[in-house]
C-alpha cells in the first residue's frame, strides 16, 4: 500500500500505525493529520538510483539533458531526483520527465522507451541483475532515506503499552534478520513475491536500527522544506515535535 492511501486510513481511524517513507509521513503531518513518528523502520544511503540502459554512453546527469526520464511522481525516488537536480544546478525543465510506476520501468528501459529511470530498492537490484539497466548515480551523498512508523497520536495516548510491544517486535525481528539471514531472506521473498537474488542484493546496505539519527532528522527537514516551497503542505512544523521517542524501550 502506498503512502497517500495509508494517510487517508490514518486520518479516518481505519488504521493506527503505518510504515511509510518520509515523504508521505511529512505530508500527513503537514496537512493536518494528528500523527507522530515513533520509530524508524529502516535506513539506507543507497536506496535510490538513477539508471540508464546498459549500452548507454551517458556518463553524467548533464548528458541526460533533453532526454526522457521515467520516475514515479510523488515518490521518494522523485524527491531524490529533485535533490540531485539541485546539487547539479539543473531543473526539471532540462529533462523530459514522465510519470512511470516502478512496475513499468524495467520494460521501458529494455524497449528503449526511456533513456533513464529513477527508482528504489529492490527494483534497482532487479533491473541491474536482469541487465536491463545500470546505475549512473545512487543516492549516497544526495539523500539518506529512512522508513517511518507513523502513529495516530490518539492511539498512542490510549494504548502506550501496545505501541511499545509493536516497536519491540521490530527490534526482535531485526535481531532475527541478523542472526538468521538465510531463513529471513527466504521468508521475505515468499511474503513479498520478490525473487531472492534482487532482494538479497537490496538488503545489503539497509540498517534496521529503530532509532532516528540526526542524519534522519536532517533528511526529514530537507524534505519538509521542499514540500513547503512547492506548496504541498498546508502548515509548517518543527521536525523535533514530529518525533516521539517515548515508546522505544
Amino acid at each position: 500500500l502506498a503512502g497517500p492511501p495509508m494517510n487517508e486510513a490514518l486520518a479516518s481511524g481505519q488504521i493506527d500505525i503505518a510504515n511509510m517513507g518520509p515523504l508521505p509521513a511529512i505530508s500527513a503531518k503537514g496537512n493536518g493529520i494528528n500523527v507522530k513518528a515513533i520509530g524508524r523502520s529502516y535506513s539506507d544511503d543507497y536506496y535510490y538510483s538513477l539508471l540508464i540502459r546498459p549500452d548507454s554512453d551517458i556518463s553524467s546527469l548533464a548528458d541526460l539533458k533533453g532526454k526522457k526520464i521515467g520516475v514515479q511522481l510523488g515518490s521518494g525516488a522523485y524527491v531524490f531526483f529533485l535533490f540531485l537536480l539541485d546539487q547539479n544546478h539543473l531543473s526539471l525543465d532540462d529533462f523530459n520527465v514522465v510519470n512511470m510506476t516502478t512496475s513499468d520501468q524495467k520494460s521501458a528501459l529494455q524497449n528503449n522507451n526511456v533513456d533513464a529511470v529513477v527508482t528504489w530498492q529492490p527494483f534497482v537490484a532487479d533491473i541491474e541483475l536482469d541487465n536491463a539497466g545500470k546505475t549512473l548515480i545512487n543516492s549516497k551523498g544526495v539523500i539518506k532515506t529512512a522508513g517511518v512508523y507513523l502513529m495516530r497520536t490518539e492511539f498512542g495516548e490510549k494504548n502506550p503499552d501496545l505501541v511499545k510491544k509493536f516497536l519491540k517486535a521490530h527490534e526482535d525481528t531485526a535481531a532475527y534478520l541478523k542472526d538468521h539471514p538465510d531463513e529471513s531472506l527466504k521468508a521475505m521473498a515468499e511474503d513479498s513475491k520478490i525473487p531472492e537474488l534482487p532482494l538479497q542484493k537490496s538488503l545489503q546496505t539497509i540498517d534496521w536500527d529503530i532509532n532516528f539519527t540526526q542524519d534522519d532528522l536532517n533528511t526529514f527537514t530537507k524534505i519538509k522544506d521542499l514540500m513547503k516551497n512547492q506548496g504541498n503542505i498546508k502548515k509548517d512544523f518543527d521536525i523535533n515535535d514530529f518525533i516521539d521517542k517515548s515508546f522505544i524501550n
Side-chain angles (χ1 to χ4, degrees):
L1 194 62
M6 282 196 281
N7 282 343
E8 292 175 8
L10 284 166
S12 64
Q14 292 177 291
I15 61 174
D16 302 304
I17 299 174
N19 176 16
M20 62 179 70
L23 181 71
I26 290 166
S27 177
K29 178 67 175 177
N31 287 298
I33 303 176
N34 190 8
V35 288
K36 291 283 189 180
I38 57 172
R40 189 178 76 172
S41 56
Y42 70 91
S43 179
D44 192 356
D45 280 311
Y46 299 89
Y47 195 62
Y48 305 112
S49 284
L50 186 152
L51 301 104
I52 55 178
R53 293 194 296 271
D55 59 349
S56 175
D57 59 359
I58 289 169
S59 61
S60 69
L61 185 61
D63 290 342
L64 282 167
K65 278 188 174 182
K67 305 291 188 182
K68 184 182 286 188
I69 301 177
V71 59
Q72 188 165 325
L73 301 183
S75 67
Y78 184 61
V79 173
F80 155 61
F81 184 56
L82 293 178
F83 286 167
L84 184 63
L85 296 183
D86 184 63
Q87 275 193 2
N88 288 270
H89 309 291
L90 297 166
S91 73
L92 288 172
D93 293 336
D94 292 317
F95 307 90
N96 179 12
V97 178
V98 295
N99 189 19
M100 183 174 291
T101 63
T102 53
S103 59
D104 293 332
Q105 289 175 335
K106 182 166 71 172
S107 62
L109 280 172
Q110 290 171 323
N111 296 324
N112 294 335
N113 292 330
V114 294
D115 299 287
V117 299
V118 187
T119 192
W120 59 88
Q121 296 287 13
F123 304 104
V124 173
D126 183 49
I127 290 171
E128 291 177 328
L129 289 169
D130 267 6
N131 200 35
K134 61 183 179 181
T135 291
L136 177 65
I137 306 169
N138 62 46
S139 53
K140 175 70 172 177
V142 181
I143 180 174
K144 181 174 184 176
T145 194
V148 178
Y149 285 127
L150 197 65
M151 177 198 71
R152 288 195 307 113
T153 303
E154 182 184 12
F155 180 78
E157 291 170 349
K158 293 181 177 179
N159 303 278
D161 291 339
L162 186 58
V163 176
K164 289 178 181 178
K165 289 178 181 178
F166 170 80
L167 295 178
K168 179 64 164 57
H170 168 99
E171 294 180 296
D172 291 344
T173 302
Y176 185 88
L177 284 168
K178 182 179 180 180
D179 294 338
H180 304 87
D182 294 337
E183 296 93 328
S184 299
L185 178 64
K186 183 177 180 180
M188 293 172 75
E190 289 177 355
D191 183 63
S192 66
K193 311 303 180 188
I194 297 171
E196 287 190 21
L197 201 56
L199 189 60
Q200 182 181 41
K201 184 176 181 180
S202 71
L203 293 173
Q204 291 175 352
T205 57
I206 290 182
D207 179 3
W208 301 105
D209 190 335
I210 201 167
N211 295 285
F212 291 116
T213 66
Q214 189 57 52
D215 282 344
D216 298 327
L217 303 189
N218 293 341
T219 295
F220 296 165
T221 299
K222 286 176 65 178
I223 293 173
K224 176 181 68 71
D225 291 345
L226 174 69
M227 296 179 72
K228 181 179 66 176
N229 292 336
Q230 293 186 334
N232 293 324
I233 57 175
K234 296 176 182 177
K235 63 176 182 178
D236 198 1
F237 59 92
D238 188 329
I239 287 295
N240 291 301
D241 294 335
F242 176 50
I243 306 294
D244 187 342
K245 302 177 182 179
S246 65
F247 297 99
I248 298 176
N249 296 317

